[in-house]
């Protein structure tokens, strides 16, 4: 197995051993350690970490919020700031985030903003957070119905990936992680036909898939930490996917981030065929795969304008123009592709007739 320790990313036993060492240092230095969890990770994941705090006799400051994307909010951020302030957290305090992408984004931003930045550590507990959200320092909250509207790039000190957490992951969350793995598969040149085994992976295959994505993401992020260029390719599927996700949130649909991205990939492959000459066969094959694995995200004709508005607010746009990541072919992603409103509309109309 590869060694990612240099990048501050540790797996399983290495992760726990390193975390224990860090806790001892924090304890010796009288640094306060806070843990951010949601109600579910408190129940299923915290019991694995709690003994480390107990054996070192370090005070446990557990902050728990309700689970769900609607809590990646200013309100919950405010609650965390209040807890840190009330406990007298100093600039040497540490915030450990135990959860999926909502927790690592929200906790990462709380850490980035509290007293101009305190140390933060991520324990991603979902497949999606392990392969994407916890890596690379994107932090933030949703605001006024827009995804990740407020935030900062803020690197965690370490990321500890414990694949045991996946044992209690609900099936819907598995599919969500799959959405990001599919993205990596496309941008790293995986054959669309090779996506099939993701559904039947054993523990070893899962770990290999996670490590492959982690390696690729860290290589890209190291080269372009604040997304001036190449990092943009990691947003494949996200321009339209985020708009679907925001619509889903507003409509209170049960749609996870990864499910929205898997649907966004359908639409962005269509645009890639139209604008970049991607082979139609790739789109057809992916569509078949998507329908076999996901409950397809249905877009009503009457929501097309709404989705267009959401896309206009995407952070990847420039000068009011929609800029997207497309594929020339699998493994050849191009960023900053200008998509005209009528091309977007054509794509969304096509999509709305699919399911
Ligand atoms: N989720 C894409 C990125 O971190 O750049």
């Amino acid at each position: 197995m590869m060694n990612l320790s240099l990048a501050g990313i540790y797996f399983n036993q290495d992760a726990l051993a390193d975390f224990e060492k860090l806790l001892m240092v924090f304890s010796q230095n009288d640094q306060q350690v806070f843990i951010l969890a949601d109600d579910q990770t408190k129940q299923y994941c915290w019991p694995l970490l709690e003994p480390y705090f107990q054996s070192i006799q370090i005070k446990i400051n557990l902050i728990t919020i309700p689970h769900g994307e609607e809590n990646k909010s200013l309100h919950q951020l405010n609650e965390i700031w209040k807890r840190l302030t009330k406990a007298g957290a100093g600039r040497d305090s540490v915030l450990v985030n135990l959860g999926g992408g909502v927790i690592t984004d929200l906790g990462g931003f709380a850490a980035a903003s509290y007293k101009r930045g305190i140390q933060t550590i991520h324990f991603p507990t979902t497949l999606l957070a392990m392969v994407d959200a916890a890596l690379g320092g994107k932090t933030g909250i949703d605001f006024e119905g827009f995804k990740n509207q407020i935030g900062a790039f803020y690197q965690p000190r370490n990321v500890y990936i414990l694949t045991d957490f996946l044992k209690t992951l609900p099936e819907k969350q598995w599919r969500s992680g799959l959405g990001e793995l599919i993205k990596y598969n496309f941008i790293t040149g995986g054959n669309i036909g090779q996506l099939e085994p993701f559904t039947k992976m054993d523990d070893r295959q899962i770990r290999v898939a996670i490590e492959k994505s982690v390696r690729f993401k860290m290589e890209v992020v190291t080269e372009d930490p604040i997304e001036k260029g190449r990092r943009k390719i990691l947003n494949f599927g996200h321009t339209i996917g985020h708009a679907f996700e925001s619509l889903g949130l507003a409509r209170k649909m049960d749609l996870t981030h990864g499910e929205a991205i898997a649907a966004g990939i359908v639409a962005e492959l269509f645009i890639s065929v139209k604008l970049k000459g991607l082979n139609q066969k790739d789109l057809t094959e992916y569509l078949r795969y998507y329908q076999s694995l996901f409950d397809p995200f249905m877009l009503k004709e009457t929501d097309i304008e709404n989705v267009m508005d959401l896309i206009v607010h995407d952070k990847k746009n420039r000068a009011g123009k929609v800029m997207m990541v497309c594929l020339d072919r699998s493994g050849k992603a191009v960023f900053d592709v200008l998509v005209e409103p009528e091309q977007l509309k054509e794509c969304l109309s096509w999509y709305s007739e699919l399911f």
Side-chain angles (χ1 to χ4, degrees):
M1 293 292 168
M2 69 171 164
N3 181 359
L4 282 164
S5 306
L6 282 178
I9 297 166
Y10 299 82
F11 283 82
N12 298 331
Q13 284 314 315
D14 292 345
L16 288 169
D18 194 75
F19 183 58
E20 188 170 27
K21 263 196 277 166
L22 263 189
L23 278 185
M24 281 186 211
V25 173
F26 297 148
S27 168
Q28 278 155 12
N29 295 341
D30 279 333
Q31 288 170 266
Q32 289 203 76
V33 180
F34 294 81
I35 306 104
L36 176 67
D38 64 34
D39 53 306
Q40 292 184 334
T41 59
K42 182 183 171 193
Q43 183 179 352
Y44 296 110
C45 306
W46 171 239
L48 213 145
L49 296 190
E50 192 175 12
Y52 290 86
F53 284 78
Q54 284 166 339
S55 73
I56 292 164
Q57 295 186 334
I58 192 163
K59 185 172 176 227
I60 294 168
N61 297 292
L62 185 60
I63 306 172
T64 312
I65 64 163
H67 71 276
E69 181 75 28
E70 63 278 19
N71 295 300
K72 211 169 103 177
S73 63
L74 192 53
H75 172 72
Q76 292 300 346
L77 181 63
N78 196 37
E79 292 298 303
I80 299 167
W81 285 333
K82 280 204 286 200
R83 279 288 302 272
L84 293 172
T85 304
K86 203 162 164 218
R91 277 185 119 171
D92 62 346
S93 296
V94 184
L95 182 60
V96 176
N97 304 300
L98 177 66
V102 170
I103 290 290
T104 57
D105 278 17
L106 175 66
F109 190 50
S113 49
Y114 182 77
K115 295 200 172 173
R116 300 207 180 96
I118 60 172
Q119 284 186 64
T120 192
I121 289 169
H122 296 328
F123 274 94
T125 58
T126 61
L127 181 61
L128 183 128
M130 289 178 193
V131 298
D132 195 64
L135 311 164
K138 279 190 180 174
T139 73
I141 56 168
D142 303 335
F143 188 66
E144 296 284 301
F146 300 110
K147 287 274 306 166
N148 306 326
Q149 182 82 341
I150 311 290
F153 286 101
Y154 193 68
Q155 296 297 337
R157 171 173 178 153
N158 287 336
V159 179
Y160 295 126
I161 299 179
L162 306 182
T163 46
D164 268 359
F165 286 149
L166 297 175
K167 291 190 174 134
T168 51
L169 197 66
E171 200 181 320
K172 195 166 171 68
Q173 290 299 330
W174 265 108
R175 274 202 294 275
S176 185
L178 215 51
E180 290 288 355
L181 280 175
I182 291 165
K183 172 194 84 177
Y184 283 112
N185 202 56
F186 273 117
I187 60 183
T188 57
N191 181 318
I192 288 156
Q194 285 171 6
L195 286 169
E196 235 67 53
F198 280 149
T199 47
K200 313 178 190 86
M201 286 190 288
D202 61 25
D203 285 356
R204 212 195 121 271
Q205 287 169 313
I206 288 162
R207 182 161 168 179
V208 169
I210 293 172
E211 288 189 354
K212 194 171 162 221
S213 302
V214 170
R215 182 195 288 275
F216 180 73
K217 177 151 186 183
M218 292 316 292
E219 180 215 307
V220 173
V221 166
T222 305
E223 182 187 318
D224 179 20
I226 55 166
E227 202 169 286
K228 291 284 176 221
R230 188 174 174 225
R231 182 169 180 168
K232 292 180 187 176
I233 63 171
L234 301 178
N235 295 321
F236 176 60
H238 282 60
T239 301
I240 297 178
H242 268 163
F244 287 171
E245 191 180 359
S246 298
L247 184 76
L249 265 175
R251 298 269 188 275
K252 298 206 182 316
M253 293 173 187
D254 190 17
L255 181 73
T256 61
H257 174 70
E259 288 172 323
I261 297 314
I265 289 174
V266 173
E268 295 188 16
L269 285 177
F270 176 88
I271 293 189
S272 299
V273 170
K274 292 278 166 189
L275 302 189
K276 290 281 150 196
L278 177 76
N279 198 326
Q280 170 73 36
K281 192 167 149 276
D282 292 342
L283 169 59
T284 314
E285 272 184 33
Y286 176 65
L287 192 51
R288 194 160 3 104
Y289 173 77
Y290 171 71
Q291 281 178 286
S292 71
L293 270 186
F294 292 84
D295 293 331
F297 171 75
M298 290 189 228
L299 178 68
K300 291 197 199 107
E301 174 95 50
T302 46
D303 273 331
I304 291 179
E305 284 304 322
N306 214 327
V307 170
M308 301 258 305
D309 280 350
L310 287 162
I311 290 173
V312 167
H313 279 86
D314 191 84
K315 290 182 290 305
K316 295 174 286 301
N317 296 339
R318 277 213 316 259
K321 305 254 188 229
V322 174
M323 309 298 268
M324 204 179 276
V325 182
C326 286
L327 294 180
D328 277 355
R329 57 185 153 78
S330 181
K332 180 77 179 54
V334 257
F335 54 86
D336 286 348
V337 177
L338 174 69
V339 184
E340 299 293 350
E342 51 283 7
Q343 292 163 332
L344 202 51
K345 201 165 187 165
E346 183 194 355
C347 167
L348 294 173
S349 297
W350 168 81
Y351 185 97
S352 71
E353 284 167 16
L354 282 177
F355 314 110

